[in-house]
Amino acid sequence: MTIFHANAEPGGAAPLRRQTERFDISGRLRAGAGGYEIRLRSRQGGRNHAVHTHFNLVADSGDLIERRPLDAQAARFIIDNFEARGDTASFDIFASDLTGSGMREREPVATDPKSIRHQLTGSEQSYTATGTKLAYHQPIFDKYRETGFASIIRATMTLHQVCASKCPYCSTIRRNRADAITLDEAKAFVTALGEDQARYNRDNFAVYNDRYREATGADIGLRGLILSGGGQPNLWPHFAEFVDWLAGLDMDLGLITNGFPPHIDEDIYRHFQWIRLSITPEDASPHYPGQRFDAQYMPETIRHNDALTVGLSYVHGPWTDDDILARIDGALEDNGFDYCRVLADCNLSRSAQLAAHGALAERLFQLGFIDVDGQPLKRIFHQLKYHGEGTEAEELWDGGQCFLQVYNTFWDTTGHEANGHSACYPCDSVTVLAGDEEPERRFDAERWGTHSNTDVAKLYTEHVRPFFDPRQNCAACLFMRNNRMVKELSSAGGLDFTPGEPPEHINFP
Ligand code: SF4
């Protein structure tokens, strides 16, 4: 149901407003900056909101004509058609619709992923989860095949839900700032998956544990832990103390953040094996001096540090111009960082996402960042990550169970304040599953949750079982390749999937 609230003339004093079942949408003139902005706020909890300031003008062929700042006409068009087009596709406007008499029905343009200029490189395999690194953990998949028990070797923690940025593509727009965990809860989670899990495997699965120790030098337990979530895990009050404590454990650490608060001791970052800094649209972050990401504070300990892998992450969209891509390239050079992965907005539906990937690849080619075959020429690489589809889902999950449960867990704190605990999920991408429906843009434990943080040990002390049917809940999964890899490693018994050139960071498969 759409409830129409108010709709004043663009440029007048009152803003454009519309309310759908899921969002409050408002458009207004931007104070001081010129042009319009459109704000989206979820109606289903959380106080966070996303701000859009640009849109893509698209030809009937689906090709991008240009990126434009929102003006009065475009803002009205988007708000008038928001319910039909959704919270992401609304910002791609066909030029003929904008100049004509309204929005026409269109068939989605089917882009074949194979037609996109792209090469799967060593960087993409090392610095993103393509599934390749799973082959280095074969004994845990033998254990799963022969016993039905999982081995949680990789985990991600969100710690809290705090972020000051207003990214248009935010995957957790419906988060609640009050959902934070305590230091004791954080340590209990890591102890259960680390020390306790290793002991459990030594005692109960000695054969597989010995094989794993021979292959990796460690017991079967948590090998890679990522601190992420809410945009800035390093704003969590216990961040430095927690990282100091983690540094004494036998596991590799990764950090995903939107920035570096100046009050944090710079030496704390030396404990990470890798750090990935997300570059937001420059008008979405309050931390960018003069709205320039490359003017933000960078700890000296992460610059030109050969002992630490530092990468940037950038989502390409209507907010992107050539200048920012050139400055990302310059920032990699200036800071001695290792890479920047660039990808399309994961909130888009599969067809729109593939079209966006195609446009991104062509832009990288035109700007000289990739060659004619899609091979990176500099440190920027294109991560070709896109939604799956129903036919593949039916064939892949013939047993009705997600395979990421076999080795991975993602603890998100959504609901923690109200319930005193919160759920673990098999992956982080359930918030952006854009299939036939709009993505949820929040973690929904009823739909995708496994065990809560207080019961996390059950992930490896009980038989793996389906918590939900991914054929129904996850047909647009972004990790079908990883699911397929687990399925094959767990069923092939003896096939060698390890690539010739070992990737880096094998404890973050
Ligand atoms: S989106 Fe894919 S990987 Fe994530 S829970 Fe669903 S099936 Fe598993």
Side-chain angles (χ1 to χ4, degrees), residues 256-457:
I256 300 174
T257 183
N258 285 352
F260 300 97
H263 67 274
I264 300 283
D265 178 0
E266 295 193 342
D267 278 331
I268 207 72
Y269 299 110
R270 294 188 196 277
H271 294 309
F272 290 92
Q273 191 187 39
W274 59 264
I275 292 175
R276 196 171 76 203
L277 173 65
S278 305
I279 306 301
T280 72
E282 289 184 299
D283 54 6
S285 171
H287 304 304
Y288 295 169
Q291 297 199 338
R292 296 217 10 157
F293 87 87
D294 39 349
Q296 73 183 295
Y297 158 68
M298 298 280 184
E300 279 306 315
T301 47
I302 72 166
R303 302 182 66 230
H304 303 282
N305 180 350
D306 291 343
L308 175 68
T309 299
V310 183
L312 304 178
S313 172
Y314 182 72
V315 178
H316 180 260
W319 46 86
T320 306
D321 58 17
D322 292 349
D323 177 57
I324 192 170
L325 292 171
R327 285 187 291 115
I328 285 173
D329 186 42
L332 293 172
E333 205 57 50
D334 292 347
N335 293 289
F337 292 162
D338 299 273
Y339 69 90
C340 179
R341 68 108 188 232
V342 186
L343 72 170
D345 183 352
C346 289
N347 290 295
L348 292 166
S349 66
R350 177 185 162 97
S351 53
Q353 191 183 32
L354 286 170
H357 272 302
L360 166 58
E362 290 319 297
R363 186 175 215 164
L364 293 176
F365 176 58
Q366 300 297 338
L367 293 174
F369 290 116
I370 59 173
D371 71 10
V372 68
D373 299 317
Q375 190 72 30
L377 298 170
K378 299 187 170 190
R379 282 181 243 184
I380 291 180
F381 69 85
H382 174 190
Q383 185 184 9
L384 185 53
K385 181 178 179 184
Y386 53 91
H387 295 294
E389 55 186 348
T391 46
E392 192 177 355
E394 291 293 330
E395 175 267 321
L396 175 60
W397 296 305
D398 45 359
Q401 179 207 295
C402 167
F403 289 102
L404 263 70
Q405 289 175 221
V406 173
Y407 74 93
N408 186 56
T409 198
F410 187 103
W411 176 19
D412 180 76
T413 64
T414 298
H416 207 84
E417 188 201 22
N419 305 320
H421 55 84
S422 42
C424 297
Y425 301 80
C427 82
D428 62 347
S429 291
V430 290
T431 61
V432 292
L433 294 180
D436 296 336
E437 299 168 20
E438 297 276 288
E440 282 255 356
R441 300 179 81 165
R442 71 166 181 141
F443 284 90
D444 181 347
E446 296 290 312
R447 209 163 163 196
W448 296 290
T450 58
H451 289 295
S452 85
N453 64 294
T454 45
D455 281 335
V456 69

Side-chain angles (χ1 to χ4, degrees), residues 487-498:
K487 189 177 184 183
E488 291 184 1
L489 288 168
S490 305
S491 58
L495 283 188
D496 185 1
F497 290 98
T498 48

Side-chain angles (χ1 to χ4, degrees), residues 232-260:
Q232 281 196 256
N234 44 10
L235 284 173
W236 184 55
H238 319 290
F239 176 76
E241 192 179 346
F242 186 46
V243 175
D244 256 335
W245 178 79
L246 289 170
L249 306 180
D250 178 23
M251 63 185 66
D252 294 337
L253 303 178
L255 173 68
I256 300 174
T257 183
N258 285 352
F260 300 97

